[in-house]
Amino acid sequence: QCMGKDFDIDDEYTDTVAEAVKVLKDEIDGNVDVYFIGHSQGGMLLPYLISKNRDDVSGGIIMAGSPRKMWEIQYYQNMMVIDAMSGEEKEKSLSVVEDELEKARTMENMTDDEISESTVFGIPGHYAKHFSDIDEIALIKKNDLPMLILQGETDFQVSIEKDFSAYKNGLSDMDNMIEYKSYKGLNHIFMKEDKPKDISEAYK
């Protein structure tokens, strides 16, 4: 489906994932255990997609995800780039990012038409709002399935301090269901990173 003004998470993922699960079970064995795995944005959406297929899924693996709002992460990443700037370029970029942050914070108060005509950090309004409305921690608890949460320790796009720890704090009452593992020297795509970078280096 083409990305239009009303494009959202369901348009991009939900029906496709449900069909994939159906085909998998039909082709292999109706009793097979199915586990979802998602990386980065896919990891953030994993609890939502599991909730849409709850009866057919046995658990999930989140790689380099985050329970924070997508727009919070986008703001955080943009600010890391801006911090490396100077002078007029920095002031102009900061103004643009702050405007996007304000839109993200006020999405709940926008009318449907306003959301349709808006973007947030370059993402169509309906998609951004749908993503923002997903409470990852609440869904993991509601799904009540085993989860493995993985994080590279030199990842600068999401981090041990802000994201991996947020899973641990938010899911502290599910220690019997959730396993956590971090990898020393691995980056956002779980490849070896001898020297930790920051996001400003990545955009040079």
Side-chain angles (χ1 to χ4, degrees):
Q1 182 171 343
C2 294
M3 184 181 289
K5 291 180 178 180
D6 296 335
F7 186 80
D8 64 14
I9 304 297
D10 290 332
D11 293 322
E12 185 170 22
Y13 291 107
T14 304
D15 291 343
T16 304
V17 170
E19 182 63 21
V21 173
K22 180 181 181 300
V23 170
L24 180 64
K25 292 214 164 191
D26 287 347
E27 292 293 325
I28 301 177
D29 180 349
N31 295 318
V32 69
D33 287 334
V34 175
Y35 289 82
F36 283 0
I37 182 168
H39 173 260
S40 194
Q41 177 175 312
M44 295 173 70
L45 290 173
L46 197 73
Y48 178 76
L49 295 173
I50 288 176
S51 74
K52 295 293 186 178
N53 298 272
R54 176 62 180 77
D55 293 338
D56 295 312
V57 181
S58 298
I61 302 169
I62 295 173
M63 301 178 67
S66 172
R68 290 189 290 159
K69 302 294 186 184
M70 175 59 81
W71 57 263
E72 291 182 48
I73 296 171
Q74 290 169 307
Y75 177 74
Y76 159 74
Q77 291 176 347
N78 274 280
M79 289 305 296
M80 283 195 290
V81 176
I82 289 171
D83 283 345
M85 297 177 178
S86 59
E88 186 177 332
E89 180 187 21
K90 184 171 185 175
E91 290 181 16
K92 183 177 180 180
S93 297
L94 183 59
S95 175
V96 171
V97 169
E98 292 294 344
D99 285 345
E100 293 300 308
L101 178 63
E102 181 62 22
K103 282 196 291 183
R105 285 174 168 166
T106 58
M107 276 191 294
E108 292 299 324
N109 299 321
M110 290 183 185
T111 66
D112 207 50
D113 286 343
E114 287 173 332
I115 291 171
S116 291
E117 296 300 324
S118 181
T119 61
V120 178
F121 289 104
I123 295 176
H126 276 284
Y127 193 100
K129 186 177 185 304
H130 193 180
F131 213 136
S132 183
D133 288 343
I134 294 171
D135 187 334
E136 197 177 341
I137 295 295
L139 282 173
I140 292 174
K141 292 181 178 182
K142 184 178 179 180
N143 291 335
D144 196 30
L145 291 172
M147 298 287 291
L148 173 61
I149 299 177
L150 308 177
Q151 173 75 35
E153 293 184 10
T154 60
D155 188 346
F156 57 79
Q157 291 169 266
V158 294
S159 71
I160 290 286
E161 297 78 17
K162 291 181 177 292
D163 302 290
F164 192 62
S165 295
Y167 280 120
K168 289 185 173 181
N169 293 335
L171 300 170
S172 60
D173 56 345
M174 288 189 70
D175 286 344
N176 61 321
M177 300 286 285
I178 313 293
E179 184 176 348
Y180 306 90
K181 187 170 180 60
S182 63
Y183 296 89
K184 186 176 181 179
L186 296 192
N187 62 18
H188 188 63
I189 56 174
F190 291 82
M191 294 183 69
K192 186 70 175 176
E193 192 82 74
D194 293 329
K195 177 182 177 293
K197 297 179 180 179
D198 64 41
I199 202 165
S200 65
E201 289 185 64
Y203 284 88
K204 286 180 180 177

